[in-house]
Amino acid sequence: VPLNISVGVDDKDSTRYVPFASQSGLGLPNRAYYLELENARFKEVRAQYLQYVGKLLTLAGQPDGVALAPAVLALETELARVQWSQVENRDPVKLYNPMRLPELRQRAPGFDWDGVFQAMGLQGKADFLVVAQPSYLAGLSALIGSTPLPTWKAYLKHRFASAYADYLSKDFVDTRFAFRTSITGTPQNLPRWRRGVELVDDSLGEGLGKLYVAQYFPPASQQRIDELVTNLLTAFKRGVPALEWMGPATKQQ
């Protein structure tokens, strides 16, 4: 969707988790693909993306999918136009903007903030978002009001089908991979068994780690690590006060 909302460690207070909101919703790698009209490479990718949108919508049961594809591309182009550039997104200070619900409603009145907080399970837990790109909220809000509802429906159906194409039938998989090839240049998809194994491997994550720790990290190893950390803290307590280049307040911190 055009606004990515997630939960993560607060960049200014590592003892708590907070909800973040950032720009999102583009089917191409970044905004330059939409806005650099004279770039021959980007122009070619846009043409292939247009075909991809139309075919995927058709596969998803949209009878006029091909006819709706230009409107979807046009909407994504407008989203790209109001998004921040890659250079702007490199400044972590500018990306940290806590906003409570009243300010969110004021900045982006076209967005159903109460519905978002309810759907995300944030009600009663948080009444704010750390917004990465504040000006994007206003731009998105304006687009919500100015873009016809059928276009939004086609856009969301396409984004949904694209996100899950790899897990659907072969025609979805092949259509998705053919478009990826236009960007990555990868000539051939991995065999289905290999993709299945990689999916399971990626999904095991913490569960596999827990089994590994149970077998190879016994309590005695934990005790050794605890002692090591205690020794490190002791060394810092002795060493930091002796530093000449650090002020008293920083030493205390």
Side-chain angles (χ1 to χ4, degrees), residues 20-99:
F20 293 90
S22 59
Q23 63 189 30
S24 185
L26 302 182
L28 295 177
N30 58 61
R31 68 195 296 267
Y33 279 79
Y34 298 89
L35 305 181
E36 295 185 14
L37 301 180
E38 302 306 317
N39 184 305
R41 168 70 178 142
F42 293 167
K43 188 181 296 186
E44 178 185 355
V45 172
R46 282 196 303 272
Q48 292 174 333
Y49 184 59
L50 193 64
Q51 295 179 359
Y52 171 63
V53 173
K55 187 170 182 179
L56 205 61
L57 282 173
T58 302
L59 288 173
Q62 187 74 34
D64 53 348
V66 174
L68 285 169
V72 172
L73 178 58
L75 173 56
E76 290 191 22
T77 301
E78 292 307 309
L79 288 172
R81 205 179 304 280
V82 295
Q83 289 190 357
W84 287 22
S85 68
Q86 288 177 300
V87 174
E88 292 172 307
N89 284 322
R90 290 178 190 148
D91 188 334
V93 177
K94 289 184 178 179
L95 295 177
Y96 190 89
N97 305 280
M99 296 184 188

Side-chain angles (χ1 to χ4, degrees), residues 108-122:
F111 212 74
D112 179 15
W113 293 109
D114 294 301
V116 169
F117 272 67
Q118 183 176 359
M120 294 291 295
L122 295 175

Side-chain angles (χ1 to χ4, degrees), residues 200-220:
V200 173
D201 188 41
D202 291 340
S203 302
L204 287 174
E206 299 296 331
L208 183 60
K210 187 175 181 179
L211 293 174
Y212 181 89
V213 167
Q215 184 166 345
Y216 296 105
F217 195 73

Side-chain angles (χ1 to χ4, degrees), residues 138-185:
L140 174 59
S141 180
L143 281 172
I144 290 174
S146 64
T147 304
L149 185 58
T151 300
W152 277 114
K153 288 184 175 181
Y155 162 79
L156 292 170
K157 179 178 282 190
H158 161 67
R159 298 292 298 143
F160 187 80
S162 184
Y164 290 95
D166 288 339
Y167 311 108
L168 299 175
S169 55
K170 189 175 185 299
D171 46 3
F172 280 92
V173 173
D174 292 345
T175 299
R176 174 77 172 137
F177 181 77
F179 171 65
R180 280 181 183 159
T181 298
S182 67
I183 297 176
T184 64

